[in-house]
Amino acid sequence: MKKWIFVVVCIALACKQEKKYHDVVQKETLVVPTDALQGVLDFQRELNEEFKNPETSPLPDRYRKNFEGLDFFAPDTSYVVRAKLVRTPDALPFLMPTTTDRKSREVVYGIAHFTLNGEDWQLEIYRNEELAQQEEYRDYLFLPFTDETNGRETYTGGRYIDLSIPQGDSITIDFNRAYNPYCAYNKKYSCPIVPSVNNLGTKVMAGVKAFRPKKD
């Protein structure tokens, strides 16, 4: 599974990871529940395989040797939302702070408007200027968010979702594919800090849970 380059930049060059990339459904209707659930199970399996592999895992050796799998919420299609995407072509680039002194040059690509847990929400979706110049990543979009599970069921610093540029004015956001930044596992990584505007005042009980390593 590919890894998003600028989300988790290892301070040591030898620790550079590839980017994780997930295509967005381009249809005007969501995939049927069976397909959606299978996609989530595939996502979980691939992520666990990545974490077990010493060549791709962000886990320190002391954690990886006892690693059996990440803790996920059960797949739930109610956390797959179809959002209205309002593009922001006039948005100016800005420097997004990270967990180190590094700053990531981003631009707000658009704002996603959607309903979740019976309430209306909006989240900013970002595009990294450097990645956008690369053919492989020119359609890549980044959605970081925080919610009311942080610090309890999920990682304190929030979670990320990988998206790609849709053809129309809507975009599918599958919160079952929310994953932790590498900083949740290893402090040697530099990870973007979720902007305060991307806080959801509700519990998102989907995706990867907080990491609690098994002790010997």
Side-chain angles (χ1 to χ4, degrees), residues 3-10 17-20 96-100 102 104 106 128 131 140-144 159-162 179-183 189-193:
K3 265 303 187 193
W4 180 36
I5 295 174
F6 72 99
V7 171
V8 285
V9 175
C10 183
Q17 299 290 330
E18 291 184 328
K19 167 183 164 292
K20 182 174 65 178
M96 182 179 289
T98 71
T99 53
T100 65
R102 182 182 67 88
S104 180
E106 307 287 332
N128 180 270
L131 280 183
Y140 179 74
L141 298 175
F142 171 49
L143 176 58
R159 291 175 290 170
Y160 302 157
I161 297 176
D162 296 330
Y179 63 93
N180 294 328
Y182 273 6
C183 302
Y189 291 99
S190 174
C191 308
I193 296 172

Side-chain angles (χ1 to χ4, degrees), residues 30-41 75-78 80 174 176:
L30 295 177
V31 291
V32 296
T34 300
D35 291 343
L37 289 172
Q38 186 58 53
V40 173
L41 294 175
D76 186 345
T77 55
S78 68
V80 182
D174 186 352
N176 293 283

Side-chain angles (χ1 to χ4, degrees), residues 1 3 17 49-58 182 189:
M1 180 183 295
K3 265 303 187 193
Q17 299 290 330
E49 290 176 355
E50 180 180 305
F51 273 60
K52 291 176 183 178
N53 185 343
E55 300 297 322
T56 58
S57 178
Y182 273 6
Y189 291 99

Side-chain angles (χ1 to χ4, degrees), residues 57-73:
S57 178
L59 295 174
D61 290 341
R62 67 183 184 278
Y63 293 158
R64 196 186 68 256
K65 66 180 181 180
N66 294 324
F67 178 77
E68 296 179 358
L70 295 170
D71 193 9
F72 299 93
F73 289 101

Side-chain angles (χ1 to χ4, degrees), residues 3-200:
K3 265 303 187 193
W4 180 36
I5 295 174
F6 72 99
V7 171
V8 285
V9 175
C10 183
I11 294 175
L13 293 179
C15 300
K16 184 178 180 181
Q17 299 290 330
E18 291 184 328
K19 167 183 164 292
K20 182 174 65 178
Y21 190 96
H22 299 298
D23 289 332
V24 176
V25 177
Q26 301 293 344
K27 298 179 180 179
E28 289 302 318
T29 57
L30 295 177
V31 291
V32 296
T34 300
D35 291 343
L37 289 172
Q38 186 58 53
V40 173
L41 294 175
D42 290 342
F43 165 78
Q44 294 179 357
R45 175 181 53 78
E46 291 170 6
L47 199 58
N48 279 332
E49 290 176 355
E50 180 180 305
F51 273 60
K52 291 176 183 178
N53 185 343
E55 300 297 322
T56 58
S57 178
L59 295 174
D61 290 341
R62 67 183 184 278
Y63 293 158
R64 196 186 68 256
K65 66 180 181 180
N66 294 324
F67 178 77
E68 296 179 358
L70 295 170
D71 193 9
F72 299 93
F73 289 101
D76 186 345
T77 55
S78 68
Y79 285 102
V80 182
V81 301
R82 192 68 164 175
K84 177 182 179 181
L85 179 62
V86 178
R87 288 174 170 81
T88 52
D90 297 327
L92 298 176
F94 69 99
L95 296 178
M96 182 179 289
T98 71
T99 53
T100 65
D101 292 336
R102 182 182 67 88
K103 294 185 184 298
S104 180
R105 189 172 176 84
E106 307 287 332
V107 65
V108 179
Y109 180 82
I111 301 175
H113 299 260
F114 58 93
T115 300
L116 181 69
N117 293 340
E119 298 182 74
D120 294 333
W121 306 99
Q122 66 180 51
L123 292 172
E124 292 184 347
I125 297 178
Y126 306 100
R127 193 182 192 195
N128 180 270
E129 286 197 322
E130 182 178 351
L131 280 183
Q133 302 304 313
Q134 302 179 36
E135 179 67 22
E136 185 178 0
Y137 307 134
R138 66 179 180 178
D139 291 335
Y140 179 74
L141 298 175
F142 171 49
L143 176 58
F145 71 96
T146 54
D147 69 273
E148 292 189 348
T149 66
N150 300 152
R152 294 179 287 273
E153 295 93 344
T154 64
Y155 176 57
T156 302
R159 291 175 290 170
Y160 302 157
I161 297 176
D162 296 330
L163 300 172
S164 60
I165 295 175
Q167 294 179 351
D169 60 358
S170 61
I171 189 167
T172 299
I173 302 174
D174 186 352
F175 287 96
N176 293 283
R177 295 173 182 263
Y179 63 93
N180 294 328
Y182 273 6
C183 302
Y185 310 100
N186 195 325
K187 297 303 181 183
K188 69 183 178 183
Y189 291 99
S190 174
C191 308
I193 296 172
V194 180
S196 59
V197 296
N198 269 18
N199 177 64
L200 295 174

